Amino acid sequence: MSKIEQFLKAHKLSASFLDMKSITDNFIADMKGGLEGEKSSLMMIPTYIGAEGSIKPNEPVVAIDAGGTNFRAVKMSFDDKMNLVTENLQQRKMPAVDEELSNKEFFATLAAYLTQYKEVSDKIGFCFSYAVEIYPNKDGKLLEWSKEVKAPEVIGQMVGENLLQAMGTPNKQIVLMNDTVSTLLAGQAATAGQEFDTYLGFILGTGTNVCYIEKNANITKTPNLNQNESQIINIESGNFDKMLRTDIDIAFDNTTKNPGRYSFEKMISGGYFGGLCTTALKTAANEDVFSAETKVKLKNVGEFTSEEVNKYVCGIELKTNPLTDVFVTEEDAAAAAEIINAMIQRSAKLTAASLAAVILKTGKAKTPEKPVLMTIEGTTFYKMNNFRILFEAFLQGFLSGENKRYYEIVEVPNSSLIGAGIAALVN
């Protein structure tokens, strides 16, 4: 057994240490617990947004998207032939990522970004990619930040109400949703005319999350729901905590802003994967997996980004990659790539287990004629080395036999913005 194999085995970093059935069973159990108001790592947040509704042509709406990195806004509508029309797309940096902001400063910044959209429409669709408790009026209270956003005073505040007040337009109508919800709606609109049994929206980029459609009758924690209807549920899957976490996962978690929170997200998403790999590589160096010279260089290096570790294993732009300077011998370079690729494979298996759980929970997609449509967005899913291939191999392998289910994957450009606009138009 090589040094690398011994290291991966000692720290249980290989995908082979993950049991898909155990993870899936635990995920489904937490989904049910969250729907019933029991103790659960999954918040299972009702959105009060249905996946049905008709779009009126030529009705303008403002769609905005606050993601892990960027804040975007656009004027959008659908023409007489129901083709999407977008105007004045703007992109800015997400506030409170580089510095801490007060509640007033945070919403004042957003309002300033939206100045030129104030007269466009009285309807605003707001894709807000953080854990929010949605109310029946479709505004929401921020429960906690993820993705290292630093605006603690905003926690507990009504997001839509604060934004409209800061804009000086308190009477406008705002529909707040998570990016997975807008992604689901965008995928449904993009595949109109095709038949699917149900829909999922999944994000794996800076952060991660998934949503799906649930019967109101199963959402027993929420009173006064129409038992004959369904709605989209925001799972907040990044906070799932019932999977194998290694000593390296825990060591890295302890370096983040909120240790112990969103531990699943910290194992698979782009906002954390570079740091997690850095922790693994430094641990390997301390255990003499690499040469003495590389060990010294690794000790003094900062945290690699997810883009840097991915480009390294893909062999892209190696001359300017900081990892190239650190791993000085061919053996060290190969060992580092093997560790990183093992962690990508592990991430793909964790992701497959979580989505398999959601598909099984729906009880649908049992025939090839009516699959589940998974609208998936995020650079980590599509750009990480071999990630999608590994993900589908794990997912198809598990969704077989008695678990046999059928699915299709679609990617919709600007889905967070488009879905936000659709939600404002039909809800």
Side-chain angles (χ1 to χ4, degrees):
M1 185 181 294
S2 70
K3 280 187 176 182
I4 306 303
E5 291 172 330
Q6 289 176 341
F7 172 76
L8 294 173
K9 182 178 180 180
H11 295 278
K12 298 183 178 180
L13 285 174
S14 297
S16 60
F17 286 100
L18 298 174
D19 178 41
M20 286 273 288
K21 186 177 188 306
S22 174
I23 297 170
T24 301
D25 287 347
N26 287 334
F27 200 99
I28 293 172
D30 264 17
M31 288 178 73
K32 291 179 178 177
L35 291 171
E36 296 166 5
E38 303 295 332
K39 185 177 180 181
S40 171
S41 66
L42 299 177
M43 288 189 245
M44 305 299 290
I45 303 171
T47 66
Y48 299 94
I49 294 174
E52 300 175 354
S54 58
I55 298 171
K56 295 180 182 179
N58 303 309
E59 181 179 358
V61 68
V62 178
I64 54 181
D65 171 31
T69 306
N70 298 312
F71 181 91
R72 298 181 299 161
V74 71
K75 174 185 176 182
M76 64 172 277
S77 61
F78 291 84
D79 65 18
D80 291 326
K81 296 182 179 180
M82 300 310 293
N83 296 312
L84 177 67
V85 179
T86 60
E87 302 174 58
N88 194 21
L89 173 63
Q90 300 283 333
Q91 179 169 304
R92 306 290 185 90
K93 189 172 182 61
M94 181 66 187
V97 173
D98 294 331
E99 61 178 346
E100 183 171 313
L101 297 180
S102 68
N103 180 68
K104 184 177 180 179
E105 290 169 333
F106 179 81
F107 285 107
T109 303
L110 296 189
Y113 288 170
L114 296 169
T115 300
Q116 56 192 295
Y117 301 95
K118 287 173 67 172
E119 307 303 323
V120 167
S121 174
D122 286 334
K123 292 184 176 181
I124 299 174
F126 190 179
C127 174
F128 191 71
S129 305
Y130 304 91
V132 174
E133 179 184 356
I134 301 295
Y135 286 70
N137 68 352
K138 298 181 178 63
D139 194 2
K141 180 174 67 177
L142 179 64
L143 299 174
E144 63 181 316
W145 288 114
S146 56
K147 311 178 188 76
E148 304 297 291
V149 174
K150 298 175 279 293
E153 290 181 9
V154 181
I155 296 172
Q157 297 296 312
M158 299 299 290
V159 176
E161 178 184 338
N162 274 269
L163 176 58
L164 294 179
Q165 290 288 348
M167 291 173 63
T169 58
N171 295 321
K172 286 185 182 290
Q173 175 188 337
I174 195 162
V175 177
L176 197 73
M177 76 218 74
N178 183 272
D179 54 352
T180 55
V181 176
S182 56
T183 295
L184 183 155
L185 293 171
Q188 186 183 38
T191 57
Q194 301 179 49
E195 190 169 6
F196 295 97
D197 208 10
T198 190
Y199 300 86
L200 306 185
F202 176 61
I203 305 287
L204 185 59
T206 304
T208 191
N209 194 14
V210 61
C211 73
Y212 75 113
I213 301 168
E214 181 60 86
K215 296 175 182 176
N216 284 351
N218 292 332
I219 312 171
T220 57
K221 68 178 178 181
T222 304
N224 304 320
L225 295 177
N226 186 326
Q227 299 296 288
N228 298 318
E229 295 181 354
S230 299
Q231 65 178 285
I232 301 172
I233 292 290
N234 167 19
I235 294 176
E236 285 299 318
S237 60
N239 196 47
F240 181 61
D241 65 3
K242 294 176 178 62
M243 64 284 161
L244 173 68
R245 294 175 73 210
T246 70
D247 58 331
I248 288 174
D249 292 308
I250 294 167
F252 170 67
D253 185 16
N254 288 333
T255 70
T256 64
K257 188 170 179 285
N258 294 304
R261 299 293 296 162
Y262 283 78
S263 51
F264 191 70
E265 182 169 87
K266 292 170 185 174
M267 295 172 73
I268 67 173
S269 74
Y272 298 99
F273 193 74
L276 181 60
C277 287
T278 306
T279 301
L281 293 169
K282 288 191 174 189
T283 303
N286 289 335
E287 296 175 11
D288 297 323
V289 171
F290 303 116
S291 66
E293 187 177 354
T294 289
K295 181 176 181 179
V296 171
K297 289 197 170 191
L298 259 178
K299 184 177 181 179
N300 297 319
V301 78
E303 186 173 289
F304 301 124
T305 67
S306 296
E307 183 179 18
E308 288 167 349
V309 298
N310 186 47
K311 284 184 175 181
Y312 187 73
V313 293
C314 291
I316 300 171
E317 299 176 7
L318 291 179
K319 289 184 179 180
T320 58
N321 195 313
L323 278 80
T324 303
D325 294 330
V326 171
F327 298 102
V328 294
T329 70
E330 289 186 9
E331 291 80 5
D332 289 345
E338 189 173 344
I339 291 171
I340 294 167
N341 278 320
M343 297 185 72
I344 292 172
Q345 186 177 40
R346 186 185 75 144
S347 173
K349 191 171 184 178
L350 286 166
T351 302
S354 66
L355 291 191
V358 180
I359 293 171
L360 292 174
K361 174 68 175 68
T362 69
K364 297 191 174 186
K366 295 181 179 180
T367 66
E369 295 78 22
K370 295 184 70 174
V372 55
L373 180 70
M374 297 195 294
T375 307
I376 299 181
E377 296 300 326
T379 53
T380 302
F381 184 86
Y382 290 107
K383 298 294 179 65
M384 191 65 76
N385 189 38
N386 291 326
F387 187 93
R388 180 172 176 176
I389 294 171
L390 293 165
F391 162 81
E392 292 207 57
F394 286 125
L395 186 64
Q396 290 174 4
F398 187 76
L399 294 181
S400 60
E402 63 180 16
N403 291 329
K404 186 63 177 177
R405 299 293 188 276
Y406 298 86
Y407 69 87
E408 289 186 20
I409 294 174
V410 65
E411 181 181 15
V412 180
N414 294 316
S415 63
S416 294
L417 273 177
I418 294 169
I422 292 171
L425 287 169
V426 304
N427 286 274

